[in-house]
Structures are given as structure tokens and as C-alpha cells.
Amino acid sequence: MTADLGFWVLQTLNALQLSMLLFLLSVGLTVIFGLMHFVNLAHGSLYAFGAYMAASLAGVLGYWGGFLLAPLAVAALGAVLYFTLIRSQRRAGPMAQVLITFGLIFVAVDATRLIWGDLPIGIAVPAVFEGQLALLGVTYPIYRLFIIALGLAVLAVLTLVLTRTQVGAMIRAGVDNDQMAACLGINVERMFFLVFVVGCALAGLAGAVAAPVLSVTPDMGLQILIPTLIVIVIGGLGSLKGAVAGSLIFGFVQTFGAVLLPTFNSVLIYALLAAVLVIRPEGLLPAKG
Amino acid sequence: MFAHTPLRLTTLTLLAIGSLAYAFVAGFFGLEILAEIAILAILVIALDLVAGFGGMVSLCHGALMGVGAYAFTVAANEAGLGAFPAMMLAVALSAALAFVIGAICARSIGIYFIMATLAFGQMAYSFVFQSPLFGGDDGLSGAPRPDLTAIGIDLTDSRAFAIYAIAMVALTYLVAAATLRSGLGRSLVGLHHNEKRLRALGLTVWRAKATAFAISGALAGLAGCLAAQHTQYISPGLLSWTVSGEALVVVILGGLGTLVGPIVGAVLFVVLKHEISAITPYWHAIVGLILIAVVMSRANGVFGFVEARMAARKSKPVLQKANADA
């Protein structure tokens, strides 16, 4: 079984798909942290909200309507959160932020139960991506390949924006030293808002693409939160490269761990995280050198 | 520094008298709630010891409690130890685990410390969840309660068990207060204020942090033993990070770094939980809103708020003293 090429291809694709989903979530969270020093434990709840919005809108507008509008809805929710809670707590220290966003998780889980009920909601894969594709001797669902492609596309766009545009340069300056950036005439407040909302939209996008492959349940946000946090801590808080590296490490360790070392699987990733924290407490590729 | 202000002593006395009086008049349901409060109180005292005084905000105390509960149940059921030796073993194991976690995380501060403890807590959770020895998802049942019939106490009676749990809260409080008043406790508070200074004074920082974390872990393990004895059934859910998060919520609602406040918080939390759950299934949303309101108000929880008000009403020298004490 393990000597078979198809097995490795299949598991690599599975790992990539998980990595890309985690990347969409962790990149927003990590850049928000890097720029604003804000720890948003409710990021997973935004992802769940995106999945629910996508599922609800898919019933009315079809899959693509949900796919496009869900991130916007999550971004709008993010904007509301920014002005009500986030902005005033930016300098409050990690514990206040952890607590407030932990409180938000409680509220979010119950709000989704209240609106959408306790039962899992499923939505169909869009017609374009139905079926399987034969690839290197394995057949793989096309929709999952789409997730991988979408993740890579988002990565490419973010890399371009961050390294090649003025806004990207301003964000990088803000991550390095926000006070100095403000002195140089960058409207740091507005940039924070922009980054926060885009991060929320990406979480919503992750929810929308995950909705057809996972079941949409009230606690899905809580379930994805820990993997997302592991990704950004392994990768290094605040850096795009770190989010990529962390997502890939998590995706591959989790997927191959499950098939090669099933007994130790779930402990494996935490042991890796502990090792990273001991050897490099700042993560593998932190934003600041 | 930790000190027993008159307000703290009064509150403690009222809590002790109130809970004991309630234990003698309450019915079965009230006694179950009382035991639940006592177990939560032990856990949050343990957490306040490190989070409130040492600045080590831990998200693995649920896991430490769970390890205590599992170790107790396995030691009593599988290894056939008596209830008290099994408790001692479980407490020692939780303490040892906490020492290792504390030593490894000692270098991390702020959000990294929180994340690191979260990782270790989840590691323990996954381990217990997957391990067949611990019953996996089904959990374990049949944890025994200590046999005190030799001195005429039957702990299978819920009244006796509630009083026993209250006694354990008192023991926990005494251990925590003694720790804070010892050299170690003073170093812990010093580390919270200025780690570099303590390092310059020659303190072995990691050892002080790890030892404090171990004491806190031992108390969390004790809470786990009591939780196992109380419901006589344990599940991996006990180790989940949300349990640690909830414990932190209780500490915050009561008053961080006051040691007395978290006990008040535990009383309020459990009572509110039962009262609100009776009205609506969405009790977590209400706790979430209360938590957000408390944190945004910048008051140090219910007890901390009262304490600050009392201090403000007194004359200035006393105020300064109160500030210095806090």
C-alpha cells in the first residue's frame, strides 16, 4: 500500500487541500496579529459564519452567489466588530483580547444555533466541479482540486500585493514598526481596518469553500480554531511566509500522520508544536527578524 | 504582594459560613450544585495563583484537572489503590506534568505563553481521547469516593460529600495563600512585575515559574479527583481547552489576582449557569456578553470592583497601602 505511487499522490493532494484551507484562515489571523498585535480567537467563528452564509445563500442564489457574497457578509460583520470591540481593545494586552474574543465565540456559537439550528447543514458541490478527475493514476474529486487552486491563487495575489504594491509596502512597514510608519504619514488606523476586514473576508471565503466538503455545524468554528492557531504559532506570528509554512507543515503532518502513524496521530502535531516552541519560541519564520 | 485585607477575610468568612449553612439545609439538587461550585473554586484558585499573581495565563488547567481525574480513576479502579493513595498519586502526577509544562513554557511570555499552554493542554486531551486505556470518547466510570466510615462519615451521601468538597476548597485556599506568602510566592509576583530584575538578583527564573506552576497543577489535579468522585464518571471533555477557557472566565468575573475573587466568581458562575439554563438553552451567549462587558469595563471582576471601591472610599494613606498590597 505505502509503496504504491497512487497512495502518495492521493495523500499529498489531501494534505495540500487541508493546508490551503488552513492557509486561507491563518493568513488573515496572522497578518492581523502582526500588524495590530491583536489575538482574535473568534476568527474561527467568522469562518463558521462564512460557511453558514454560503449554505443559506446557495439555496437562493446558487453556489456561486454564496461563494461571492459570504466573504462580503463576513467582512461586514468584521467591520462591525472592529468598531465596537476590536479598536478599543487593541492596546489592552493579550489577556483582555483573548477573553473578549473568547466571549465572542460563546455568543457566536449560540447565535448560529439560534438562527440556523443545531443540525448540520450540507450544500452541494457546484455543477462545474462535480465528479472526479484522473490524475497520475488516482482519481480525485475536482472540487478538492479547486480548493487547492483557490488557496494557491489567494497566496499569489497576497504575495503580489504585499511585495509589489504601495499598500503592501505600507502594511509591511506597519508590521515592522507601526509608530514609525505613522510618523512617515501612513494612516495606520485605516490600514488596520483594511487588513482586519480583508482577514475576515478570507475567513469567510474559507468557510464558503469548506461548506460543501465539511458539514456546517455550530461548533465548526471552534474545531478549526486550534489547528489555525497551531499553524500561526509554528509559522511565526505575523508573517505571510510563516502562514504558508505552518499550513503546509500542519496539513502534511496531519494527513500523513493519520495514515502512517494512526496511534500517535493527534499527539504528533502537538508534539511538533511543543518542539517548535522550545527551540524557536517565535515560530519558524517570524515577521520580525 | 498577597495580603489578607479585612475585606478579603470578611468575604472568606461569609463564604465559609454561607456554604456550610447551605450544606445543612439544601436538598439533593442544591447539594450537587454546592459540590460543583467547590470543585470549580479549587480549579480557579489554582489558576489565579499562576495567572493572577505570576502573569502566567494558562489555557491548560482544564487538562491538568482532567489528568488528575483520569489518574485517580485509573489508579483506584485498575491498580486497586485506596481512594486516598490514588488521590495523592493523581495530585503528584498533575504536579509533575505541570512542572514540565511550566519549565518548557518558562521562556515564553504573553500570547506565546497562552498558545504554548494551549498546545500542551490539547496534547493531553488528544492523548486521552485516543488512548484505549482511558476509554476514549466513552470516558471512564466508577471512580470511588473515599471511605471515611471509620470516623462515621459516609461520603456517598451528597451532604457529606458537599461538606468534604468545601473542606477541600479551604485546604486549597490555605495552600495557595501559603505559597504566595512564601519566598516562592514573592518571587512569582516579582517575576510578573519585572523578570529582568529578578534574574539580575540571581533567581533561577525557569525553576521558580515551573515550581509555582507545579503547585497550581497539583491543586488542579485535586479538583480533578473531586470531579471524578462527584459525578463518578469522567470523559475526555474534561481536558478540553474550553474548560480552561471557562476557568479563566470565572477568574476574570471574580477578580484576577485576588485569590478570594475567583471563589466569588465560581459561586456566581455556577448559580447563574443553573438559573439561566433553566430559562434559555443559550446560556453561553449570555456568559459571553457578560464576559465582554466585564473586560471592557476594565473593572477587575466583581470582587476586584468592590475592593477598588472600598479602597477609594478610605483615606489616602490607606489607599496607598491598599495599592501597595495589591
Side-chain angles (χ1 to χ4, degrees):
Chain A
M1 174 73 186
T2 47
D4 180 16
L5 175 70
F7 164 83
W8 293 100
V9 174
L10 191 69
Q11 296 306 334
T12 305
L13 287 172
N14 281 341
L16 270 178
Q17 185 238 310
L18 177 61
S19 301
M20 286 305 133
L21 198 61
L22 284 171
F23 168 71
L24 286 180
L25 272 166
S26 52
V27 70
L29 193 57
T30 199
V31 175
I32 290 168
F33 181 84
L35 196 61
M36 301 164 62
H37 304 285
F38 192 90
V39 192
N40 185 10
L41 289 189
H43 205 71
S45 304
L46 294 169
Y47 154 86
F49 181 62
Y52 271 104
M53 284 309 285
S56 300
L57 291 169
V60 189
L61 303 166
Y63 175 82
W64 294 107
F67 178 82
L68 292 175
L69 290 179
L72 293 180
V74 178
L77 179 68
V80 172
L81 287 180
Y82 182 84
F83 286 114
T84 49
L85 292 175
I86 311 293
R87 193 169 52 170
S88 61
Q89 296 299 319
R90 267 207 311 113
R91 306 223 173 272
M95 190 161 73
Q97 295 167 355
V98 163
L99 286 164
I100 284 192
T101 51
F102 191 67
L104 270 180
I105 294 178
F106 280 167
V107 177
V109 169
D110 274 356
T112 46
R113 286 174 60 206
L114 194 64
I115 301 171
W116 284 285
D118 285 328
L119 296 175
I121 300 176
I123 66 171
V125 169
V128 199
F129 296 130
E130 263 176 17
Q132 315 253 323
L133 193 71
L135 192 81
L136 294 171
V138 295
T139 52
Y140 203 69
I142 301 178
Y143 186 76
R144 290 176 184 252
L145 292 174
F146 164 68
I147 297 179
I148 298 175
L150 183 75
L152 292 175
V154 169
L155 170 60
V157 170
L158 287 177
T159 312
L160 274 180
V161 169
L162 281 174
T163 56
R164 296 268 180 263
T165 66
Q166 197 184 5
V167 177
M170 285 153 87
I171 292 173
R172 280 182 289 132
V175 172
D176 263 356
N177 188 336
D178 59 339
Q179 287 175 354
M180 183 57 84
C183 290
L184 290 170
I186 297 171
N187 189 339
V188 178
E189 262 323 303
R190 202 169 64 196
M191 208 168 65
F192 284 160
F193 176 69
L194 180 77
V195 166
F196 188 77
V197 170
V198 170
C200 293
L202 285 174
L205 184 68
V209 294
V213 285
L214 307 170
S215 63
V216 183
T217 58
D219 66 343
M220 70 185 291
L222 210 53
Q223 283 172 4
I224 201 82
L225 177 66
I226 302 293
T228 310
L229 291 175
I230 293 176
V231 164
I232 65 171
V233 173
I234 287 183
L237 286 169
S239 84
L240 179 69
K241 277 185 209 151
V244 178
S247 305
L248 289 173
I249 290 171
F250 189 99
F252 278 84
V253 168
Q254 189 78 349
T255 310
F256 282 96
V259 287
L260 298 178
L261 292 166
T263 12
F264 299 104
N265 172 34
S266 59
V267 180
L268 202 61
I269 190 70
Y270 296 112
L272 180 70
L273 175 58
V276 169
L277 282 166
V278 171
I279 300 160
R280 299 193 59 154
E282 305 276 290
L284 295 177
L285 299 163
K288 291 169 208 176
Chain B
M1 271 323 296
F2 177 74
H4 279 115
T5 57
L7 176 66
R8 288 177 181 181
L9 284 176
T10 316
T11 312
L12 279 177
T13 316
L14 287 177
L15 281 169
I17 295 173
S19 57
L20 284 175
Y22 186 68
F24 281 105
V25 297
F28 175 74
F29 189 61
L31 290 168
E32 291 300 298
I33 291 184
L34 202 55
E36 194 182 331
I37 292 175
I39 292 163
L40 183 61
I42 295 174
L43 180 65
V44 295
I45 291 171
L47 182 58
D48 195 30
L49 180 64
V50 284
F53 294 91
M56 297 193 277
V57 182
S58 154
L59 279 182
C60 67
H61 266 62
L64 292 172
M65 175 169 87
V67 166
Y70 269 91
F72 170 73
T73 308
V74 171
N77 284 357
E78 308 293 326
L81 288 179
F84 278 115
M87 276 171 91
M88 279 177 215
L89 187 73
V91 168
L93 190 69
S94 299
L97 184 65
F99 186 85
V100 174
I101 296 177
I104 295 176
C105 299
R107 277 205 300 161
S108 311
I109 47 161
I111 190 66
Y112 291 93
F113 187 86
I114 299 177
M115 294 293 156
T117 52
L118 179 66
F120 284 109
Q122 286 299 107
M123 195 149 91
Y125 169 74
S126 320
F127 181 72
V128 168
F129 195 89
Q130 280 203 332
S131 175
L133 175 64
F134 304 121
D137 204 5
D138 295 334
L140 292 175
S141 58
R145 289 182 179 180
D147 185 7
L148 293 180
T149 42
I151 51 168
I153 300 169
D154 176 20
L155 282 183
T156 52
D157 173 47
S158 47
R159 196 176 315 280
F161 187 79
I163 295 168
Y164 157 77
I166 294 168
M168 286 298 176
V169 178
L171 176 71
T172 303
Y173 183 84
L174 290 177
V175 170
T179 306
L180 287 169
R181 288 172 155 196
S182 69
L184 174 69
R186 284 156 207 260
S187 311
L188 189 67
V189 175
L191 279 172
H192 185 21
H193 286 213
N194 191 335
E195 190 171 318
K196 278 182 190 152
R197 184 183 296 160
L198 271 278
R199 202 183 290 276
L201 285 170
L203 184 79
T204 314
V205 171
W206 74 267
R207 196 186 300 148
K209 284 187 174 178
T211 311
F213 213 72
I215 293 171
S216 175
L219 297 175
L222 177 66
C225 293
L226 287 183
Q229 292 167 4
H230 179 220
T231 51
Q232 302 193 297
Y233 162 75
I234 48 175
S235 71
L238 211 57
L239 286 88
S240 158
W241 78 278
T242 46
V243 174
S244 314
E246 233 167 53
L248 195 56
V249 169
V250 174
V251 171
I252 297 303
L253 292 183
L256 182 75
T258 57
L259 215 56
V260 182
I263 308 176
V264 178
V267 176
L268 290 176
F269 189 82
V270 175
V271 170
L272 272 180
K273 181 166 97 179
H274 286 283
E275 292 300 316
I276 299 174
S277 301
I279 307 167
T280 158
Y282 302 109
W283 115 267
H284 268 120
I286 294 168
V287 173
L289 291 173
I290 295 175
L291 174 66
I292 294 172
V294 168
V295 177
M296 296 213 39
S297 74
R298 293 179 189 277
N300 184 17
V302 177
F303 186 77
F305 177 76
V306 173
E307 208 165 50
R309 274 299 167 91
M310 299 281 272
R313 277 169 77 190
K314 288 184 181 163
S315 58
K316 217 172 179 183
V318 180
L319 175 70
Q320 277 166 355
K321 187 177 174 295
N323 281 340
D325 286 346

